mmCIF file of all heavy atoms in Angstrom:
data_model
loop_
_atom_site.group_PDB
_atom_site.id
_atom_site.type_symbol
_atom_site.label_atom_id
_atom_site.label_comp_id
_atom_site.label_asym_id
_atom_site.label_seq_id
_atom_site.Cartn_x
_atom_site.Cartn_y
_atom_site.Cartn_z
ATOM 1 N N ALA A 194 -3.789 -1.939 -39.842
ATOM 2 C CA ALA A 194 -3.613 -3.205 -40.426
ATOM 3 C C ALA A 194 -4.711 -3.552 -41.415
ATOM 4 O O ALA A 194 -4.553 -4.462 -42.279
ATOM 5 C CB ALA A 194 -3.495 -4.286 -39.398
ATOM 6 N N LEU A 195 -5.791 -2.817 -41.347
ATOM 7 C CA LEU A 195 -6.963 -3.049 -42.315
ATOM 8 C C LEU A 195 -6.741 -2.288 -43.641
ATOM 9 O O LEU A 195 -7.580 -2.306 -44.532
ATOM 10 C CB LEU A 195 -8.262 -2.667 -41.694
ATOM 11 C CG LEU A 195 -8.682 -3.333 -40.397
ATOM 12 C CD1 LEU A 195 -9.962 -2.809 -39.904
ATOM 13 C CD2 LEU A 195 -8.786 -4.849 -40.629
ATOM 14 N N GLY A 196 -5.662 -1.525 -43.756
ATOM 15 C CA GLY A 196 -5.363 -0.804 -44.938
ATOM 16 C C GLY A 196 -5.886 0.662 -44.916
ATOM 17 O O GLY A 196 -5.808 1.325 -45.922
ATOM 18 N N LEU A 197 -6.383 1.081 -43.789
ATOM 19 C CA LEU A 197 -6.881 2.412 -43.601
ATOM 20 C C LEU A 197 -5.785 3.318 -42.976
ATOM 21 O O LEU A 197 -4.719 2.844 -42.598
ATOM 22 C CB LEU A 197 -8.101 2.420 -42.746
ATOM 23 C CG LEU A 197 -9.296 1.586 -43.243
ATOM 24 C CD1 LEU A 197 -10.405 1.541 -42.222
ATOM 25 C CD2 LEU A 197 -9.806 2.162 -44.546
ATOM 26 N N ASN A 198 -6.036 4.564 -43.001
ATOM 27 C CA ASN A 198 -5.068 5.555 -42.512
ATOM 28 C C ASN A 198 -5.643 6.384 -41.370
ATOM 29 O O ASN A 198 -6.051 7.532 -41.532
ATOM 30 C CB ASN A 198 -4.589 6.526 -43.641
ATOM 31 C CG ASN A 198 -3.885 5.782 -44.748
ATOM 32 O OD1 ASN A 198 -2.982 5.018 -44.550
ATOM 33 N ND2 ASN A 198 -4.338 6.035 -46.026
ATOM 34 N N PRO A 199 -5.665 5.773 -40.148
ATOM 35 C CA PRO A 199 -6.268 6.485 -38.999
ATOM 36 C C PRO A 199 -5.328 7.540 -38.514
ATOM 37 O O PRO A 199 -4.168 7.641 -38.913
ATOM 38 C CB PRO A 199 -6.454 5.406 -38.001
ATOM 39 C CG PRO A 199 -5.391 4.438 -38.302
ATOM 40 C CD PRO A 199 -5.257 4.448 -39.838
ATOM 41 N N VAL A 200 -5.857 8.388 -37.631
ATOM 42 C CA VAL A 200 -5.080 9.419 -36.952
ATOM 43 C C VAL A 200 -5.218 9.257 -35.414
ATOM 44 O O VAL A 200 -6.287 8.885 -34.943
ATOM 45 C CB VAL A 200 -5.630 10.812 -37.362
ATOM 46 C CG1 VAL A 200 -4.926 11.916 -36.538
ATOM 47 C CG2 VAL A 200 -5.401 11.087 -38.812
ATOM 48 N N LYS A 201 -4.116 9.415 -34.760
ATOM 49 C CA LYS A 201 -4.139 9.346 -33.291
ATOM 50 C C LYS A 201 -3.794 10.761 -32.773
ATOM 51 O O LYS A 201 -2.742 11.300 -32.958
ATOM 52 C CB LYS A 201 -3.129 8.343 -32.727
ATOM 53 C CG LYS A 201 -3.113 8.199 -31.225
ATOM 54 C CD LYS A 201 -2.079 7.219 -30.778
ATOM 55 C CE LYS A 201 -0.651 7.637 -31.156
ATOM 56 N NZ LYS A 201 0.422 6.805 -30.799
ATOM 57 N N GLU A 202 -4.807 11.427 -32.164
ATOM 58 C CA GLU A 202 -4.725 12.809 -31.799
ATOM 59 C C GLU A 202 -4.767 12.996 -30.267
ATOM 60 O O GLU A 202 -5.673 12.427 -29.628
ATOM 61 C CB GLU A 202 -5.785 13.662 -32.488
ATOM 62 C CG GLU A 202 -5.725 15.102 -32.300
ATOM 63 C CD GLU A 202 -6.851 15.822 -33.103
ATOM 64 O OE1 GLU A 202 -6.677 15.859 -34.365
ATOM 65 O OE2 GLU A 202 -7.824 16.245 -32.496
ATOM 66 N N GLU A 203 -3.847 13.771 -29.762
ATOM 67 C CA GLU A 203 -3.976 14.047 -28.324
ATOM 68 C C GLU A 203 -5.037 15.040 -28.035
ATOM 69 O O GLU A 203 -5.321 15.931 -28.804
ATOM 70 C CB GLU A 203 -2.575 14.610 -27.864
ATOM 71 C CG GLU A 203 -1.400 13.647 -27.858
ATOM 72 C CD GLU A 203 -0.119 14.243 -27.433
ATOM 73 O OE1 GLU A 203 -0.031 15.463 -27.349
ATOM 74 O OE2 GLU A 203 0.813 13.507 -27.129
ATOM 75 N N ASN A 204 -5.749 14.852 -26.876
ATOM 76 C CA ASN A 204 -6.795 15.703 -26.470
ATOM 77 C C ASN A 204 -6.448 16.356 -25.172
ATOM 78 O O ASN A 204 -6.086 15.732 -24.216
ATOM 79 C CB ASN A 204 -8.088 14.854 -26.347
ATOM 80 C CG ASN A 204 -9.302 15.758 -26.372
ATOM 81 O OD1 ASN A 204 -9.442 16.662 -25.617
ATOM 82 N ND2 ASN A 204 -10.277 15.381 -27.229
ATOM 83 N N TYR A 205 -6.629 17.700 -25.167
ATOM 84 C CA TYR A 205 -6.270 18.509 -23.927
ATOM 85 C C TYR A 205 -7.546 19.261 -23.438
ATOM 86 O O TYR A 205 -8.438 19.523 -24.210
ATOM 87 C CB TYR A 205 -5.193 19.505 -24.299
ATOM 88 C CG TYR A 205 -3.848 18.854 -24.549
ATOM 89 C CD1 TYR A 205 -3.531 18.438 -25.815
ATOM 90 C CD2 TYR A 205 -2.919 18.656 -23.520
ATOM 91 C CE1 TYR A 205 -2.300 17.842 -26.082
ATOM 92 C CE2 TYR A 205 -1.670 18.062 -23.800
ATOM 93 C CZ TYR A 205 -1.363 17.664 -25.069
ATOM 94 O OH TYR A 205 -0.135 17.067 -25.297
ATOM 95 N N ARG A 206 -7.454 19.697 -22.218
ATOM 96 C CA ARG A 206 -8.440 20.571 -21.644
ATOM 97 C C ARG A 206 -7.764 21.629 -20.788
ATOM 98 O O ARG A 206 -6.642 21.397 -20.218
ATOM 99 C CB ARG A 206 -9.491 19.888 -20.830
ATOM 100 C CG ARG A 206 -8.978 19.270 -19.548
ATOM 101 C CD ARG A 206 -10.081 18.584 -18.723
ATOM 102 N NE ARG A 206 -9.578 17.898 -17.546
ATOM 103 C CZ ARG A 206 -10.211 17.107 -16.797
ATOM 104 N NH1 ARG A 206 -11.448 16.708 -17.177
ATOM 105 N NH2 ARG A 206 -9.730 16.512 -15.747
ATOM 106 N N GLU A 207 -8.337 22.768 -20.641
ATOM 107 C CA GLU A 207 -7.750 23.840 -19.840
ATOM 108 C C GLU A 207 -8.382 23.872 -18.448
ATOM 109 O O GLU A 207 -9.620 23.875 -18.371
ATOM 110 C CB GLU A 207 -7.970 25.223 -20.480
ATOM 111 C CG GLU A 207 -7.429 25.365 -21.876
ATOM 112 C CD GLU A 207 -5.894 25.385 -21.858
ATOM 113 O OE1 GLU A 207 -5.364 25.831 -20.830
ATOM 114 O OE2 GLU A 207 -5.290 24.986 -22.875
ATOM 115 N N ASN A 208 -7.583 23.729 -17.391
ATOM 116 C CA ASN A 208 -8.036 23.765 -16.040
ATOM 117 C C ASN A 208 -7.708 25.041 -15.362
ATOM 118 O O ASN A 208 -6.488 25.356 -15.193
ATOM 119 C CB ASN A 208 -7.394 22.566 -15.176
ATOM 120 C CG ASN A 208 -8.079 21.274 -15.581
ATOM 121 O OD1 ASN A 208 -9.250 21.217 -15.954
ATOM 122 N ND2 ASN A 208 -7.283 20.187 -15.491
ATOM 123 N N SER A 209 -8.701 25.839 -15.029
ATOM 124 C CA SER A 209 -8.444 27.133 -14.388
ATOM 125 C C SER A 209 -8.882 27.042 -12.909
ATOM 126 O O SER A 209 -9.827 26.401 -12.622
ATOM 127 C CB SER A 209 -9.233 28.176 -15.065
ATOM 128 O OG SER A 209 -8.865 28.333 -16.466
ATOM 129 N N GLY A 210 -8.241 27.777 -12.034
ATOM 130 C CA GLY A 210 -8.554 27.839 -10.616
ATOM 131 C C GLY A 210 -7.404 28.135 -9.829
ATOM 132 O O GLY A 210 -6.418 28.761 -10.211
ATOM 133 N N LEU A 211 -7.454 27.789 -8.564
ATOM 134 C CA LEU A 211 -6.342 28.058 -7.576
ATOM 135 C C LEU A 211 -5.502 26.846 -7.453
ATOM 136 O O LEU A 211 -5.978 25.700 -7.325
ATOM 137 C CB LEU A 211 -7.006 28.404 -6.171
ATOM 138 C CG LEU A 211 -7.858 29.621 -6.098
ATOM 139 C CD1 LEU A 211 -8.517 29.757 -4.765
ATOM 140 C CD2 LEU A 211 -7.064 30.858 -6.457
#
Side-chain angles (χ1 to χ4, degrees):
L195 300 178
L197 299 173
N198 297 309
V200 173
K201 182 182 62 180
E202 183 177 287
E203 295 179 343
N204 198 305
Y205 292 87
R206 70 180 176 190
E207 301 290 334
N208 285 331
S209 300
L211 299 173

